[in-house]
Amino acid sequence: MQLEQFNQLPDEEALSAVRPCLDVERWGDAIVSSRPFSSRQELLSFAAEAASPFTESELERALSHHPRIGERAAGEAHEASLSRSEQAALNISQTTAVALAAGNKAYEEKFDRVFLIRAAGRSSEEILAALNARLGHTAEEEQAIVDHQLREIAALRLKGVVSA
């Protein structure tokens, strides 16, 4: 939809439009209550900083909609559809798929959450390298990276929802 349309939506409809981008209530509420935006860039810039930082429960809720990297998102929810399209461009070899599965398992054992990375614009090899590098992080270091990656994914999704 056009930015002008988004700015004029009733609050509940605007929330429904942004929720699949990032299911963090505080983030969506901040965007909706800050309308109208004068430009798409203003909206995207605001969204990049809204509700910063995420709480642990907000991260947990947001991450619950993200499949493991290299796995196909199940279900008919809009978030699942977005995840499938974001990972569709990945050309994953069998060797890389096995390594990603092992890396996902190690990451979940260490951090007790799904490995999250913006897949758009990255190769499966780049993602695997990032996964392996991030396994060496502390929980605090990883928290900041997950927060950033979640914001990048949300911004990409919001670009798909609101056009100039």
Side-chain angles (χ1 to χ4, degrees):
M1 79 183 77
Q2 297 289 319
L3 177 64
E4 184 177 322
Q5 293 170 296
F6 176 71
N7 282 335
Q8 295 174 2
L9 286 176
D11 288 355
E12 283 304 312
E13 289 181 41
L15 279 171
S16 293
V18 300
R19 189 171 292 120
C21 300
L22 177 63
D23 192 9
V24 171
E25 188 174 336
R26 191 167 51 99
W27 181 82
D29 287 346
I31 291 170
V32 170
S33 66
S34 296
R35 294 176 305 157
F37 293 98
S38 62
S39 69
R40 184 173 181 230
Q41 188 53 51
E42 180 188 5
L43 166 63
L44 296 173
S45 294
F46 180 85
E49 297 303 319
S52 182
F54 296 126
T55 66
E56 187 61 35
S57 63
E58 288 170 338
L59 277 175
E60 186 176 315
R61 180 177 174 92
L63 291 174
S64 72
H65 298 291
H66 290 272
R68 289 177 183 93
I69 197 77
E71 292 183 6
R72 184 172 168 81
E76 297 304 314
H78 193 67
E79 291 92 343
S81 175
L82 289 169
S83 289
R84 284 191 295 271
S85 66
E86 290 159 0
Q87 289 197 40
L90 292 177
N91 185 14
I92 302 175
S93 70
Q94 183 61 33
T95 302
T96 302
V98 169
L100 281 171
N104 281 330
K105 183 177 183 208
Y107 185 93
E108 289 172 23
E109 288 173 359
K110 181 171 183 176
F111 296 110
D112 197 30
R113 67 167 53 124
V114 68
F115 171 72
L116 182 77
I117 190 166
R118 175 191 42 78
R122 290 188 166 115
S123 70
S124 58
E125 292 78 17
E126 288 173 303
I127 291 170
L128 179 59
L131 171 57
N132 288 329
R134 286 171 56 185
L135 282 168
H137 291 164
T138 65
E140 294 78 24
E141 290 169 328
E142 193 56 22
Q143 180 82 15
I145 292 171
V146 169
D147 188 88
H148 180 75
Q149 291 299 302
L150 199 53
R151 290 178 188 288
E152 284 189 9
I153 293 166
L156 284 172
R157 290 178 174 183
L158 192 55
K159 282 180 185 178
V161 170
V162 179
S163 57

